[in-house]
Amino acid sequence: MKLALTALVLTVGLTGCATRWVVDSEVKSFSNISAVPAGATYRFERLPSQQASEASQQQLEAMAGAALERVGLRRDDATPRYTAQIGARVTAELSPWADPWFYGGGPWGPYRYGRYGSPWYGRGWYGGGWYGPAFPPASNPWYAREVSIVLRELPSNRVVYETHARNDGPYTASATVLPVMFQAALQGFPNPPKGERRVDIEVSTAKN
């Protein structure tokens, strides 16, 4: 109950004038480089599905680009040292704090509306495309998010860095959360800690 109330307070707080809150991401990274040359450059590499969603992909690249710049990588499409392939996904699903009895749980039946069994489960951002929202019941909103970055060294096209970040919660502000998740995914670059780790980043939102 305490956790459920905390989620409710957070959701309400996001609709107010201003609030500060923490985006907690589970991050896992793999690196084949120990140092990045000063002034290293990159260009974005798009999959065919991403090329078909120009506007969405540009939004994602702006989010990821800010995080890449923070770790010393500069975008240069003409003379890049690396390529950066990015991906992101948002899915709407039933809250883990929802009553399992109401949604088919309890001792006489399976919990039918989990992440993979929910009739509201669907893809959101993936790679660079928006495939349409999928909504859980309004009384129990919950959103799972994932982002990824893969860096390849040119001209060999060898993968030198791969990182993933996951986050879930009741808030709908993907435009605020996804950029912070890209930042979390690059925490420790180019020598990140081994294994999965939690990265907390505080953000502030304001309503005009």
Side-chain angles (χ1 to χ4, degrees):
M1 178 63 72
K2 181 179 180 181
L3 289 172
L5 288 175
T6 300
L8 177 61
V9 170
L10 177 58
T11 304
V12 173
L14 287 174
T15 64
C17 293
T19 186
R20 299 183 67 85
W21 48 291
V22 172
V23 174
D24 55 303
S25 300
E26 297 299 323
V27 178
K28 195 168 187 178
S29 307
F30 306 87
S31 179
N32 290 322
I33 49 177
S34 57
V36 175
T41 57
Y42 75 94
R43 63 172 170 81
F44 285 113
E45 178 182 5
R46 295 183 181 181
L47 298 172
S49 59
Q50 296 172 329
Q51 295 172 16
S53 304
E54 180 69 22
S56 298
Q57 187 64 18
Q58 286 183 351
Q59 292 179 45
L60 279 180
E61 289 175 357
M63 296 174 184
L68 288 164
E69 185 175 358
R70 290 176 68 97
V71 297
L73 295 176
R74 178 174 57 85
R75 182 173 180 177
D76 185 342
D77 294 346
T79 58
R81 183 182 180 92
Y82 304 101
T83 64
Q85 181 180 316
I86 62 172
R89 180 171 63 180
V90 178
T91 59
E93 55 193 47
L94 188 67
S95 168
W97 314 119
D99 185 352
W101 292 80
F102 182 80
Y103 291 101
W108 300 288
Y111 185 77
R112 297 192 299 269
Y113 300 124
R115 175 176 297 185
Y116 300 105
S118 171
W120 298 282
Y121 175 77
R123 293 182 298 175
W125 291 95
Y126 185 76
W130 174 257
Y131 294 96
F135 297 108
S139 58
N140 290 287
W142 200 260
Y143 302 90
R145 298 174 175 87
E146 302 173 28
V147 301
S148 64
I149 300 175
V150 176
L151 292 181
R152 291 180 171 86
E153 189 176 48
L154 295 174
S156 67
N157 216 32
R158 179 175 67 99
V159 174
V160 295
Y161 201 85
E162 177 185 358
T163 184
H164 305 263
R166 295 181 292 106
N167 166 273
D168 63 89
Y171 32 85
T172 61
S174 290
T176 298
V177 176
L178 290 176
V180 177
M181 291 180 65
F182 278 117
Q183 182 182 338
L186 289 169
Q187 186 261 352
F189 177 86
N191 300 297
K194 293 183 179 180
E196 191 170 61
R197 63 197 185 276
R198 174 170 163 167
V199 178
D200 293 343
I201 299 179
E202 186 178 87
V203 297
S204 177
T205 60
K207 184 177 180 181
N208 295 330

